[in-house]
Amino acid sequence: MFDIHKIRSDFPILGTKIYGKPLVYADNAASTQKPQRVIDSITDLYSNHYANIHRGVHYLSQKSTALYESARETVKIFINASKVEEIVFVRGTTEGVNLVARSYLEPLLKPDDEILISEMEHHSNIIPWQLTAERTGAKLKIIPFLENGELDLSTLPDLLSPKVKLVAVTHMSNSLGTINDVGLIIERAHALGIPVLVDGAQSIAHMPIDVQELDCDFFVFSGHKIYGPTGIGALYAKEKHLLTMLPYQGGGDMILSVSFEKTEYNDIPYKFEAGTPNIEGTIGMATALNYVSDLGIESIDEYEQDLLAYATKQFSDIEGLKIIGTAPKKGSIISFILDGIHPHDVGTIMDMEGVAVRTGHHCTQPVMDHYNIPATTRVSLSFYNTVGEIDKITKAITKVKELMG
Ligand code: PLP
């Protein structure tokens, strides 16, 4: 069902050696590697079909436009949005959140209104709301998490009130691995008429996403975390919201007509796509989504859950290693600390063994504060990782202990 050798051969970089040792790439939560199909799709665009989109009458412009718009259709299908008009191309998750903060929320906020986020958010899903709060006098409220890294949803009845104008929460934590019950949060928020933004930066590559079933108001993700290029992502927003929202940036392509007296904005989603967009990025991202669909996101999920279970068991057997984030529902991320050894030393020594992991606060400083630690070492796995690689990671950690312990 899952031909790991064939899959690995789709990713040219996985054959690389680091310091003479075969690369073990376990930094997938930061960014994923790219299959040849994605690389080829961008080369093909530049070699055969490239021109600026939307405004040209000539053949290549129309060809590029058709590819760009079919990428939007691919995103729509991948997350099961009901209309292509609900898909806005953005630079990535960060820009998607900033767009919603600026164009949707800010005009609605009054002093003392509230924005509800969680304690495990990535900085990208904290700072845009802080900026909005500073500009409007609104307040940021926080859903706390428990010691195992699970959100404490028993706090919701107290936190959700008519003062809350938006809930913004991550679907899967990039530092703890926790998969949050966003369906329940959405249901509770909607009961009070409060819209919900889901940060799908991590979840998009690891589980099926159905925005209609979730009933979220906004969903954001980045192409580079799902085997596509950097600098491209998508914002899904319910049509009713996009229709009322103001443009995020001004420029070409987002207008119907311009005069010095009055500008009429373009229809959605173009109203939110000012300037020449990342055409090659959308095409690379759509190719990546099709690649993932061909493998089957359910099969990916199942395979990665097996890897996660195996790695969790192997790591737990290492004396002095403590896993940070042990919620019952997790994606394939394991953050850990090693007794008396700084994560940066851990990462540096593991690198010498060919193992790429991330160390630091993972742009989730409040999570580090919660555990009173400066940083963790994070192993984040993808469907192209193998049980053999987990053994190599385990050996590399043991080596760190030998050298530093
Ligand atoms: N949200 C989460 C949960 C993430 O893991 C990340 C990236 O690590 C982001 C947001 C920001 O994504 P990007 O830097 O692609 O905009």
Side-chain angles (χ1 to χ4, degrees), residues 29-30 91-95 97 120-125 170 172-174 199-202 221-225 362-363 378:
R91 275 196 298 126
T93 306
T94 303
E95 189 175 53
V97 176
M120 68 172 74
E121 297 310 313
H122 187 280
H123 296 166
S124 292
N125 200 28
T170 190
M172 174 175 155
S173 157
N174 66 305
D199 173 352
Q202 292 298 332
F221 70 92
S222 308
H224 72 99
K225 301 220 195 248
H362 318 293
C363 295
R378 180 184 70 187

Side-chain angles (χ1 to χ4, degrees), residues 209-241:
I209 302 294
D210 183 331
V211 290
Q212 290 187 73
E213 195 184 310
L214 277 176
D215 198 26
C216 54
D217 296 85
F218 305 97
F219 186 94
V220 283
F221 70 92
S222 308
H224 72 99
K225 301 220 195 248
I226 182 160
Y227 314 100
T230 50
I232 187 70
L235 159 69
Y236 157 81
K238 282 183 177 167
E239 184 181 34
K240 65 174 183 188
H241 296 313

Side-chain angles (χ1 to χ4, degrees), residues 341-355:
I341 311 175
H342 196 279
H344 290 307
D345 294 329
V346 178
T348 307
I349 297 169
M350 289 178 81
D351 180 48
M352 300 307 285
E353 299 301 305
V355 178

Side-chain angles (χ1 to χ4, degrees), residues 101-121:
R102 250 347 242 258
S103 296
Y104 172 76
L105 191 60
E106 215 164 297
L108 297 178
L109 286 182
K110 294 186 300 300
D112 295 328
D113 278 345
E114 293 173 356
I115 309 161
L116 184 59
I117 64 171
S118 91
E119 192 185 1
M120 68 172 74
E121 297 310 313

Side-chain angles (χ1 to χ4, degrees), residues 55 247 250-267 270-271:
R55 294 176 289 271
D253 231 25
M254 51 75 73
I255 53 91
L256 288 176
S257 70
V258 178
S259 73
F260 291 120
E261 287 71 40
K262 183 170 166 49
T263 290
E264 251 189 281
Y265 305 128
N266 206 341
D267 297 331
Y270 309 111
K271 185 166 102 177

Side-chain angles (χ1 to χ4, degrees), residues 301-312:
D301 190 11
E302 207 175 301
Y303 178 82
E304 290 177 349
Q305 283 298 321
D306 286 348
L307 282 186
L308 174 69
Y310 181 73
T312 304

